[in-house]
Every structure is written in structure tokens, then in C-alpha cells.
Amino acid sequence: MNRLTIIGNWKMNTTPESAHILGYNISKILSDGGMGNIVICPPHISLDRVAQAVAGSSIRVGAQDVHPEPSGAFTGEVSAPMLAELVEFVIVGHSERRTLFAESDEFIAGKVTASIEAGLKPILCVGESLEDRRAGRAESVVSSQLLACLANVTDVSSLLVAYEPVWAIGTGEAATPQISQDMMSSIRSALRSGFGDAAHAVPCLYGGSVNADNVQSFLRQPDIDGALVGGASLDAESFVAIVARASEVAAD
Ligand code: PEP
């Protein structure tokens, strides 16, 4: 996979109609392609319409979550085989799922394996709280999340990892490039310890209050391959501006 990867997480925003329009607008402005892997993750209900809106463009589509089981009595849930007919990527372990829906590393590990088995590319999110950082345990918390969520994985060729410090998500207070680089280097060594040389090919992204003004400072770090963008992905022009600034760094 070309390493530059910019992912937009729309969270619980947009209706099917407005998601279609947003996806269409992003794909029209980015029609040239050649800017790395651009993935947009609308709500489940809009995946089909957004996939149609971006068909024929270089934009790819991802889901925001998945259930570990392939089918069954799980009212309201969506499984990996269902998603695999519509999309290529899926976000798992986002901090909002961990905190608001009490998802454990073990539960997230089931989502990762279910996604890989169904042919999806999981975007595994990890990140420490402000309390963890202040207590000096950010790196150990993140490494332990990472390895626990990958406990049943043997092949990381379809995996992406997003480091998203909880204190930087939706706050306008992005981590510094140095904090992100230090953590990413620690993530890469945890991946290497679990998966050897295959870990080198895993795209590692930073997420947390990324915008067009700060994206280059993250992408200039040696271990950061891209960004996971929340709020700024909800406006076609601001998302495209992030992609454009990111691809300038990739072209350097
Ligand atoms: C996110 O939700 O993954 C995220 C990084 O959000 P924001 O860019 O708004 O901080």
C-alpha cells in the first residue's frame, strides 16, 4: 500500500442525502487522484450511497465500526461480512467506542480478527488519556492496547494503526509533532516485537485535531504515514485542503 493515507471519520454526522453530497464533492475536487490513499468513513446507513457517490474516483470508503460476530442475534449491529460487500476499510477501537460504549481491548481484538477474516482493512485506533500521559504511562498504555487488540492476529498486511491521544480528539489541541513521533516510534517497536519485519509495512497515522495548518508537521515525522481526521473531514474544502497539504510533504 502507498503509505500516505488520509482518513476522514464523519462520526454520527450527515444524513444519507448530505453524506452523498459530501462524498460526491470530495471526489470531484480530488478527481486527479495520485494523492495517496484517501478514505472517507460515513455512518453505516450512508455507506452504500457514499460508495455510489465516489464510484470511479480514487476515494475509498470505510465504516466506523463493526461487530466481532459474523451474524446472529445482535440487534442493531453490523458484521464484517456485511461491510465487506460495501467497503474496504473499517475503524475499530476508536476512543469514543472505548469510553462511551465501554469497549475492552478483548472485544476490539475480536473486531480486528473478524475484519481481517472478511477481507476488510482494519484501522486500529489506540491512544492514552490525559491522566495516563500526566502519570508518565502513555507509552505503556498504548503498547498494551496495541498488542492486546492484535492478540489473535498473525498477518498484519491489511492492518493500519491510528495513534489518537484521547486528549487531542475534537479538542482543537493537537499533540505536538514530537509527542506523536515519540509515540509512533514506540508503536512501531511494539509492532516489530509482535510481527517482525512485516511491521514495517503497517501504515501508522496520527489523529487528533488535525487540520490543513498542522498536517504537514505530523507528516514530516519519520514514523507518521498519514492522518485520521474527524471534525475537519466534514467540510469538503477543508478535507481536500488537508489532503493537498499532505501530498506536498509526500512529494518532497
Ligand atoms: C477522530 O475522531 O478520530 C478525530 C481525530 O477527531 P478530530 O479530528 O475532530 O480531533
Side-chain angles (χ1 to χ4, degrees):
M1 184 186 293
N2 169 346
R3 291 178 82 95
L4 174 63
T5 305
I6 306 292
I7 299 175
N9 172 14
W10 295 358
K11 309 194 186 191
M12 197 174 71
N13 296 295
T14 66
T15 64
E17 181 61 18
S18 64
H20 181 90
I21 294 168
L22 180 55
Y24 179 82
N25 288 341
I26 291 171
S27 71
K28 285 300 138 210
I29 312 177
L30 287 176
S31 60
D32 286 352
M35 288 180 155
N37 302 297
I38 313 303
V39 182
I40 49 180
C41 301
H44 283 150
I45 194 173
S46 301
L47 290 174
D48 203 10
R49 291 205 61 189
V50 171
Q52 288 169 27
V54 303
S57 80
S58 55
I59 312 287
R60 292 136 91 181
V61 183
Q64 297 176 18
D65 192 28
V66 63
H67 193 275
E69 294 299 327
S71 61
F74 299 98
T75 302
E77 293 296 316
V78 171
S79 75
M82 294 173 188
L83 291 174
E85 287 194 9
L86 288 178
V87 301
E88 199 180 337
F89 295 83
V90 61
I91 297 171
V92 293
H94 192 281
S95 72
E96 287 151 16
R97 302 288 325 167
R98 291 174 187 266
T99 53
L100 303 175
F101 301 94
E103 291 192 2
S104 65
D105 286 333
E106 192 185 11
F107 191 57
I108 295 163
K111 297 179 180 215
V112 174
T113 30
S115 302
I116 293 174
E117 276 164 19
L120 293 164
K121 298 184 173 90
I123 304 154
L124 171 62
C125 300
V126 291
E128 82 287 0
S129 66
L130 193 54
E131 195 187 356
D132 292 329
R133 178 151 290 276
R134 286 190 175 139
R137 52 175 184 250
E139 291 194 1
S140 63
V141 164
V142 168
S143 297
S144 125
Q145 284 176 349
L146 186 73
L147 295 179
C149 293
L150 297 177
N152 308 316
V153 171
T154 48
D155 176 4
V156 288
S157 59
S158 61
L159 176 75
L160 297 85
V161 173
Y163 165 53
E164 299 208 304
V166 178
W167 44 272
I169 296 179
T171 60
E173 297 279 335
T176 64
Q178 192 58 53
I179 286 178
S180 314
Q181 167 55 28
D182 290 348
M183 184 62 83
M184 216 59 97
S185 156
S186 153
I187 286 173
R188 285 206 187 274
S189 52
L191 283 172
R192 259 194 316 276
S193 75
F195 303 97
D197 286 348
H200 291 300
V202 175
C204 291
L205 321 180
Y206 166 75
S209 298
V210 170
N211 57 40
D213 293 331
N214 63 21
V215 68
Q216 293 194 339
S217 64
F218 295 109
L219 292 180
R220 290 215 166 89
Q221 305 306 313
D223 286 310
I224 303 182
D225 302 313
L228 178 50
V229 184
S233 69
L234 287 169
D235 173 79
E237 299 213 336
S238 73
F239 186 62
V240 169
I242 291 171
V243 173
R245 301 296 298 276
S247 40
E248 284 170 17
V249 177
D252 279 352

